[in-house]
Amino acid sequence: MDNKQTSSNFIKNIVTEDLKTGKRSEVITRFPPEPNGYLHIGHAKSIVLNFELADEYNGKTNLRFDDTNPVKEDTEYVESIKEDVKWLGFEWDNLYFASDYFTEMYNRAVLLIKKGKAYVDDLTAEEMRAYRGNLKEPGKESPYRNRTAEENLDLFERMRKGEFKDGEKVLRAKIDMASPNINMRDPVIYRIAHASHHNTGDEWCIYPMYDFAHPIEDAVEDVTHSICTLEFEDHRPLYDWVIQECEMKSQPQQIEFARLNLTNTVMSKRKLKALVDEGFVDGWDDPRMPTIAGLRRRGFTSEAIRSFCREIGVSKSNSTVDAQMLEHFIREDLLMKAPRTMAVLRPLKVVITNYPEAQTELLEVENNSDNPEMGSRKLTFSREIYIEQEDFMENPPKKYFRLFPGNEVRLKGAYFIKCNEVIKDEAGNIVEIHCTYDPQTKSGTGFTERKVKGTIHWVDASSAVAAEFRLFEPLILDEQSEQEGKTFLEQVNPNSMEVLQGYVESNLTGVKPQEKLQFFRHGYFNVDSKYTTEEKPVFNRIVSLKSSFKVE
Ligand code: ATP
Ligand code: MG
């Protein structure tokens, strides 16, 4: 694989120290997504971190589906997550489902009850909230807190058997209602949910809560370093409490790092799902989505995403990364790889009146001027061509060096042409323009007698392939204004996609989905995997050619 991250970070320092002091003899990490949506670029940060960290120490990484919440989970998500992790370039050592440990978790809960460390509570969710207290005031103990172990065992067993309705009872850890850490004020560890589970079907009607399930999952798998995002920092005492009181043999260590946020997008499965469900985008893999599937369909490569994840690094403070930084890495990756071809996105027909009518010639052009190894190809040239509408102006301002009446420009890889006549329809719209070419100015022949200031791209009309182009703008206008009371759905950019009908050169006949190309002056494009047909390719613009963003 490509260059691994070699720079240090605080998590690596912990791991190195643990191995040096003998606290650990191996490194086992896990990537634990909940299968309630598609993975996004934030997950990629966690994936790269977990897999590469273990890899560096010859350790192991598990892919574990944290599927303890039956209602939102689905096998479609399980499959997409597997595909995305593989596509990102990683192989898990083991594939696990948290739901495979439901019996283990149940037995550990029974152990807590027997030890007097858990009790069945009848308070409603609302009452429990009122009893919990707040940061200034301690909580109040539930009247059910001192049930005997026998009574709790009986009630918990009956919860499992389905004798109670959702919400009627919960199992709570018995810790400390006066703890300054609210997470330690007798957290709920099991709830009743009469719902079918994607993996265990109707076998269970009680489900463990995340804070109870996660440490057990980690311990069962002998995970050594359990890496999660910062919002779980305050939950760490509970994580450690569960490991200890449940008498787990393995003692994983939770380490928190800052989650990735990107400008002008949203990065939570809940919000991304809303964009899909409300029809703002064309599915989870819409090229505007920050999902791995969306980025892939847009044309991002896994190499670029991995490089990006390494570059942003790992820290303890939350920040927002400029989306242009991600774009930097795809430009860098495609610079030498993508063939440079010609496409006209908003066509204007040009008739070259002095070019013989029945003639077509072949012009040899390089495939990538920065990478001679990519060789060359032939372009057809004939009497009619297409240029961009914006490369012609009837009444140009000063310093406009492209085509206008009386002016001469260079056609990239071909000849100089000069505009002589503008043809309009009755309404005054320009229909086509008439030019003449100078046969002496053929590209590559060393013509130097005259110079022109403008070079424009073109496509030969006689062999052009009709194509669709999709250009994108950020999906979310300004994520900040959400704090000003606007929902993120009100911040969706109504102009996030522009669809254009134009032409590409004939060499692109039969392009295959996911082929990546540079179109001169327009940027890097990817052949869309959903809408491309044999007759008509659809190209998604990955990025334009230039950006002001610099990575140090
Ligand atoms: P979401 O709100 O998007 O659903 P999540 O944290 O609930 O995020 P999980 O499926 O539970 O999603 O996440 C799996 C792993 O990916 C977790 O270890 C989580 O910490 C990590 N992760 C999720 N989002 C990000 C992010 N933006 N940056 C870094 N890591 C993330
Ligand atoms: Mg989640």
Side-chain angles (χ1 to χ4, degrees), residues 30-36 39-43 45-46 50 66 210 227-229 231-232 257-261 267-270 272:
R30 86 288 174 262
F31 173 64
E34 184 181 356
N36 62 349
L39 296 183
H40 51 63
I41 181 81
H43 291 112
K45 177 177 179 181
S46 174
N50 277 292
D66 205 342
Y210 179 91
I227 300 165
C228 64
T229 43
E231 65 275 19
F232 291 101
F257 73 106
R259 62 170 54 232
L260 167 67
N261 298 301
M267 200 106 75
S268 118
K269 283 179 280 183
R270 181 181 60 78
L272 295 173

Short mmCIF file of all heavy atoms in Angstrom, two decimals, residues 30-36 39-43 45-46 50 66 210 227-229 231-232 257-261 267-270 272, ligand 1:
data_model
loop_
_atom_site.label_atom_id
_atom_site.label_comp_id
_atom_site.label_asym_id
_atom_site.label_seq_id
_atom_site.Cartn_x
_atom_site.Cartn_y
_atom_site.Cartn_z
N ARG A 30 -10.40 -2.07 17.13
CA ARG A 30 -11.63 -2.44 16.41
C ARG A 30 -12.22 -1.19 15.79
O ARG A 30 -12.01 -0.09 16.28
CB ARG A 30 -12.64 -3.12 17.33
CG ARG A 30 -13.55 -2.21 18.12
CD ARG A 30 -12.84 -1.49 19.23
NE ARG A 30 -13.68 -0.52 19.89
CZ ARG A 30 -13.68 0.80 19.62
NH1 ARG A 30 -12.88 1.30 18.72
NH2 ARG A 30 -14.50 1.60 20.26
N PHE A 31 -12.96 -1.41 14.69
CA PHE A 31 -13.78 -0.33 14.15
C PHE A 31 -15.23 -0.78 14.35
O PHE A 31 -15.64 -1.79 13.80
CB PHE A 31 -13.46 -0.09 12.67
CG PHE A 31 -14.41 0.90 12.04
CD1 PHE A 31 -14.45 2.22 12.48
CD2 PHE A 31 -15.30 0.51 11.06
CE1 PHE A 31 -15.36 3.12 11.94
CE2 PHE A 31 -16.20 1.40 10.50
CZ PHE A 31 -16.24 2.70 10.95
N PRO A 32 -15.99 -0.03 15.19
CA PRO A 32 -17.30 -0.53 15.63
C PRO A 32 -18.51 0.28 15.15
O PRO A 32 -19.19 0.90 15.96
CB PRO A 32 -17.17 -0.40 17.14
CG PRO A 32 -16.38 0.89 17.30
CD PRO A 32 -15.52 1.05 16.06
N PRO A 33 -18.81 0.31 13.85
CA PRO A 33 -19.94 1.12 13.40
C PRO A 33 -21.28 0.53 13.81
O PRO A 33 -21.43 -0.70 13.87
CB PRO A 33 -19.81 1.09 11.88
CG PRO A 33 -19.15 -0.21 11.60
CD PRO A 33 -18.20 -0.43 12.74
N GLU A 34 -22.23 1.41 14.05
CA GLU A 34 -23.60 0.95 14.20
C GLU A 34 -24.18 0.88 12.79
O GLU A 34 -24.09 1.86 12.04
CB GLU A 34 -24.41 1.94 15.06
CG GLU A 34 -25.79 1.42 15.30
CD GLU A 34 -26.67 2.35 16.14
OE1 GLU A 34 -26.19 3.39 16.60
OE2 GLU A 34 -27.85 1.99 16.30
N PRO A 35 -24.77 -0.26 12.40
CA PRO A 35 -25.27 -0.36 11.02
C PRO A 35 -26.61 0.35 10.85
O PRO A 35 -27.64 -0.28 10.56
CB PRO A 35 -25.38 -1.87 10.78
CG PRO A 35 -25.55 -2.47 12.14
CD PRO A 35 -24.87 -1.55 13.11
N ASN A 36 -26.60 1.66 11.05
CA ASN A 36 -27.83 2.44 10.92
C ASN A 36 -27.70 3.49 9.82
O ASN A 36 -28.42 4.48 9.80
CB ASN A 36 -28.19 3.09 12.27
CG ASN A 36 -27.11 4.07 12.75
OD1 ASN A 36 -26.03 4.11 12.20
ND2 ASN A 36 -27.42 4.84 13.77
N LEU A 39 -21.36 4.64 5.80
CA LEU A 39 -20.19 5.28 6.39
C LEU A 39 -19.89 6.60 5.70
O LEU A 39 -20.12 6.75 4.50
CB LEU A 39 -18.96 4.38 6.26
CG LEU A 39 -19.01 3.05 7.00
CD1 LEU A 39 -17.68 2.31 6.83
CD2 LEU A 39 -19.31 3.25 8.49
N HIS A 40 -19.36 7.56 6.47
CA HIS A 40 -18.97 8.84 5.90
C HIS A 40 -17.47 9.08 6.12
O HIS A 40 -16.78 8.26 6.73
CB HIS A 40 -19.83 9.96 6.47
CG HIS A 40 -19.93 10.00 7.96
ND1 HIS A 40 -18.84 10.21 8.77
CD2 HIS A 40 -21.00 9.83 8.81
CE1 HIS A 40 -19.22 10.21 10.04
NE2 HIS A 40 -20.54 9.97 10.10
N ILE A 41 -17.01 10.22 5.65
CA ILE A 41 -15.57 10.52 5.69
C ILE A 41 -15.05 10.58 7.13
O ILE A 41 -13.89 10.29 7.40
CB ILE A 41 -15.27 11.80 4.87
CG1 ILE A 41 -13.79 12.17 4.85
CG2 ILE A 41 -16.09 12.99 5.33
CD1 ILE A 41 -12.99 11.40 3.85
N GLY A 42 -15.94 10.92 8.08
CA GLY A 42 -15.54 10.90 9.49
C GLY A 42 -15.20 9.48 9.93
O GLY A 42 -14.22 9.26 10.64
N HIS A 43 -15.98 8.53 9.47
CA HIS A 43 -15.67 7.13 9.79
C HIS A 43 -14.34 6.72 9.18
O HIS A 43 -13.60 5.93 9.76
CB HIS A 43 -16.78 6.20 9.27
CG HIS A 43 -18.08 6.33 10.00
ND1 HIS A 43 -19.20 6.85 9.41
CD2 HIS A 43 -18.43 6.01 11.27
CE1 HIS A 43 -20.19 6.85 10.29
NE2 HIS A 43 -19.75 6.35 11.43
N LYS A 45 -11.74 8.43 8.95
CA LYS A 45 -10.68 8.85 9.88
C LYS A 45 -10.46 7.77 10.95
O LYS A 45 -9.33 7.41 11.27
CB LYS A 45 -11.05 10.18 10.53
CG LYS A 45 -10.05 10.66 11.56
CD LYS A 45 -10.39 12.03 12.16
CE LYS A 45 -9.36 12.43 13.21
NZ LYS A 45 -9.66 13.73 13.83
N SER A 46 -11.56 7.27 11.49
CA SER A 46 -11.49 6.25 12.53
C SER A 46 -10.95 4.92 11.96
O SER A 46 -10.15 4.23 12.61
CB SER A 46 -12.88 6.07 13.13
OG SER A 46 -12.91 5.01 14.03
N ASN A 50 -7.54 3.19 13.30
CA ASN A 50 -7.56 1.88 13.96
C ASN A 50 -6.77 0.82 13.20
O ASN A 50 -5.99 0.07 13.79
CB ASN A 50 -9.01 1.41 14.16
CG ASN A 50 -9.63 2.01 15.39
OD1 ASN A 50 -9.24 1.72 16.52
ND2 ASN A 50 -10.59 2.92 15.19
N ASP A 66 -21.83 -2.72 15.79
CA ASP A 66 -22.37 -2.41 17.11
C ASP A 66 -23.89 -2.35 16.96
O ASP A 66 -24.49 -1.29 16.93
CB ASP A 66 -21.78 -1.06 17.55
CG ASP A 66 -21.77 -0.93 19.05
OD1 ASP A 66 -22.51 -1.70 19.71
OD2 ASP A 66 -21.05 -0.07 19.56
N TYR A 210 -25.74 1.19 25.06
CA TYR A 210 -24.38 1.33 24.54
C TYR A 210 -23.31 1.28 25.63
O TYR A 210 -22.32 0.57 25.52
CB TYR A 210 -24.29 2.65 23.76
CG TYR A 210 -22.92 2.91 23.21
CD1 TYR A 210 -22.57 2.47 21.94
CD2 TYR A 210 -21.95 3.57 23.98
CE1 TYR A 210 -21.30 2.69 21.43
CE2 TYR A 210 -20.68 3.78 23.49
CZ TYR A 210 -20.36 3.35 22.22
OH TYR A 210 -19.10 3.56 21.74
N ILE A 227 -10.61 2.85 20.75
CA ILE A 227 -10.52 4.27 20.37
C ILE A 227 -11.89 4.79 19.97
O ILE A 227 -12.56 4.22 19.12
CB ILE A 227 -9.50 4.41 19.21
CG1 ILE A 227 -8.13 3.91 19.69
CG2 ILE A 227 -9.42 5.86 18.75
CD1 ILE A 227 -7.15 3.67 18.57
N CYS A 228 -12.29 5.87 20.61
CA CYS A 228 -13.61 6.44 20.30
C CYS A 228 -13.51 7.96 20.27
O CYS A 228 -12.44 8.52 20.50
CB CYS A 228 -14.63 5.99 21.34
SG CYS A 228 -14.25 6.62 22.97
N THR A 229 -14.61 8.62 19.97
CA THR A 229 -14.56 10.07 19.83
C THR A 229 -14.80 10.77 21.17
O THR A 229 -15.29 10.18 22.13
CB THR A 229 -15.55 10.55 18.75
OG1 THR A 229 -16.77 9.85 18.90
CG2 THR A 229 -15.00 10.25 17.37
N GLU A 231 -16.74 12.77 22.71
CA GLU A 231 -17.96 12.89 23.53
C GLU A 231 -18.10 11.73 24.52
O GLU A 231 -18.92 11.79 25.43
CB GLU A 231 -19.20 13.06 22.66
CG GLU A 231 -19.59 11.91 21.77
CD GLU A 231 -18.87 11.88 20.42
OE1 GLU A 231 -17.82 12.52 20.28
OE2 GLU A 231 -19.37 11.18 19.52
N PHE A 232 -17.27 10.71 24.37
CA PHE A 232 -17.32 9.59 25.31
C PHE A 232 -16.34 9.72 26.47
O PHE A 232 -16.26 8.84 27.32
CB PHE A 232 -17.09 8.26 24.58
CG PHE A 232 -18.24 7.90 23.67
CD1 PHE A 232 -18.16 8.12 22.31
CD2 PHE A 232 -19.42 7.39 24.20
CE1 PHE A 232 -19.23 7.83 21.48
CE2 PHE A 232 -20.49 7.09 23.38
CZ PHE A 232 -20.40 7.31 22.02
N PHE A 257 -10.46 10.59 20.88
CA PHE A 257 -9.85 11.57 19.97
C PHE A 257 -10.95 12.43 19.35
O PHE A 257 -12.13 12.09 19.41
CB PHE A 257 -9.01 10.87 18.89
CG PHE A 257 -9.84 10.19 17.83
CD1 PHE A 257 -9.96 10.74 16.56
CD2 PHE A 257 -10.50 9.01 18.10
CE1 PHE A 257 -10.72 10.11 15.58
CE2 PHE A 257 -11.28 8.37 17.13
CZ PHE A 257 -11.38 8.93 15.87
N ALA A 258 -10.53 13.55 18.73
CA ALA A 258 -11.50 14.49 18.17
C ALA A 258 -12.09 13.97 16.87
O ALA A 258 -11.38 13.47 16.01
CB ALA A 258 -10.81 15.84 17.91
N ARG A 259 -13.42 14.10 16.75
CA ARG A 259 -14.03 13.65 15.51
C ARG A 259 -13.73 14.63 14.38
O ARG A 259 -13.39 15.79 14.61
CB ARG A 259 -15.53 13.40 15.68
CG ARG A 259 -16.38 14.58 16.06
CD ARG A 259 -17.88 14.25 15.95
NE ARG A 259 -18.31 13.07 16.69
CZ ARG A 259 -19.01 12.06 16.15
NH1 ARG A 259 -19.34 12.05 14.89
NH2 ARG A 259 -19.39 11.04 16.88
N LEU A 260 -13.84 14.14 13.18
CA LEU A 260 -13.63 14.99 12.01
C LEU A 260 -14.90 15.74 11.66
O LEU A 260 -15.98 15.13 11.57
CB LEU A 260 -13.20 14.11 10.82
CG LEU A 260 -13.22 14.79 9.44
CD1 LEU A 260 -12.16 15.88 9.36
CD2 LEU A 260 -13.01 13.77 8.34
N ASN A 261 -14.78 17.03 11.49
CA ASN A 261 -15.87 17.83 10.91
C ASN A 261 -15.31 18.49 9.66
O ASN A 261 -14.16 18.88 9.62
CB ASN A 261 -16.31 18.92 11.88
CG ASN A 261 -16.85 18.33 13.16
OD1 ASN A 261 -17.81 17.58 13.14
ND2 ASN A 261 -16.22 18.66 14.28
N MET A 267 -22.25 15.63 8.98
CA MET A 267 -21.52 14.40 9.15
C MET A 267 -22.10 13.57 10.27
O MET A 267 -21.42 13.18 11.18
CB MET A 267 -20.07 14.73 9.46
CG MET A 267 -19.17 13.57 9.17
SD MET A 267 -18.26 13.83 7.73
CE MET A 267 -17.06 14.99 8.33
N SER A 268 -23.37 13.31 10.19
CA SER A 268 -23.95 12.40 11.15
C SER A 268 -24.93 11.57 10.35
O SER A 268 -25.61 12.07 9.45
CB SER A 268 -24.63 13.18 12.27
OG SER A 268 -26.01 12.91 12.30
N LYS A 269 -24.94 10.28 10.64
CA LYS A 269 -25.79 9.39 9.86
C LYS A 269 -27.25 9.81 9.94
O LYS A 269 -27.99 9.68 8.97
CB LYS A 269 -25.61 7.95 10.34
CG LYS A 269 -24.32 7.34 9.81
CD LYS A 269 -24.11 5.93 10.31
CE LYS A 269 -23.58 5.94 11.72
NZ LYS A 269 -23.29 4.62 12.25
N ARG A 270 -27.64 10.32 11.10
CA ARG A 270 -29.03 10.75 11.26
C ARG A 270 -29.36 11.86 10.25
O ARG A 270 -30.38 11.81 9.56
CB ARG A 270 -29.24 11.24 12.69
CG ARG A 270 -30.64 11.70 13.01
CD ARG A 270 -30.74 12.19 14.45
NE ARG A 270 -29.86 13.32 14.74
CZ ARG A 270 -30.10 14.59 14.39
NH1 ARG A 270 -31.19 14.89 13.75
NH2 ARG A 270 -29.25 15.55 14.71
N LEU A 272 -27.62 12.64 7.50
CA LEU A 272 -27.45 12.16 6.12
C LEU A 272 -28.67 11.35 5.69
O LEU A 272 -29.13 11.44 4.56
CB LEU A 272 -26.17 11.31 6.02
CG LEU A 272 -24.87 12.10 6.26
CD1 LEU A 272 -23.67 11.16 6.32
CD2 LEU A 272 -24.66 13.16 5.19
P1 ATP B 1 -22.90 9.19 13.50
O1 ATP B 1 -23.41 10.28 14.39
O2 ATP B 1 -22.41 9.68 12.19
O3 ATP B 1 -23.83 8.06 13.39
P2 ATP B 1 -21.47 7.62 15.32
O4 ATP B 1 -20.28 7.96 16.14
O5 ATP B 1 -22.77 7.41 16.01
O6 ATP B 1 -21.59 8.71 14.21
P3 ATP B 1 -20.80 4.92 14.76
O7 ATP B 1 -21.35 4.05 13.71
O8 ATP B 1 -21.16 4.64 16.15
O9 ATP B 1 -21.22 6.39 14.38
O10 ATP B 1 -19.24 5.10 14.61
C1 ATP B 1 -18.30 4.08 14.43
C2 ATP B 1 -16.95 4.63 14.78
O11 ATP B 1 -16.63 5.74 13.95
C3 ATP B 1 -16.94 5.11 16.20
O12 ATP B 1 -15.77 4.62 16.83
C4 ATP B 1 -16.95 6.61 16.09
O13 ATP B 1 -16.30 7.20 17.14
C5 ATP B 1 -16.25 6.84 14.75
N1 ATP B 1 -16.71 8.08 14.13
C6 ATP B 1 -17.96 8.42 13.79
N2 ATP B 1 -18.02 9.66 13.30
C7 ATP B 1 -16.74 10.13 13.29
C8 ATP B 1 -16.12 11.37 12.89
N3 ATP B 1 -16.82 12.37 12.38
N4 ATP B 1 -14.79 11.47 13.04
C9 ATP B 1 -14.06 10.47 13.54
N5 ATP B 1 -14.57 9.29 13.94
C10 ATP B 1 -15.89 9.11 13.83
#
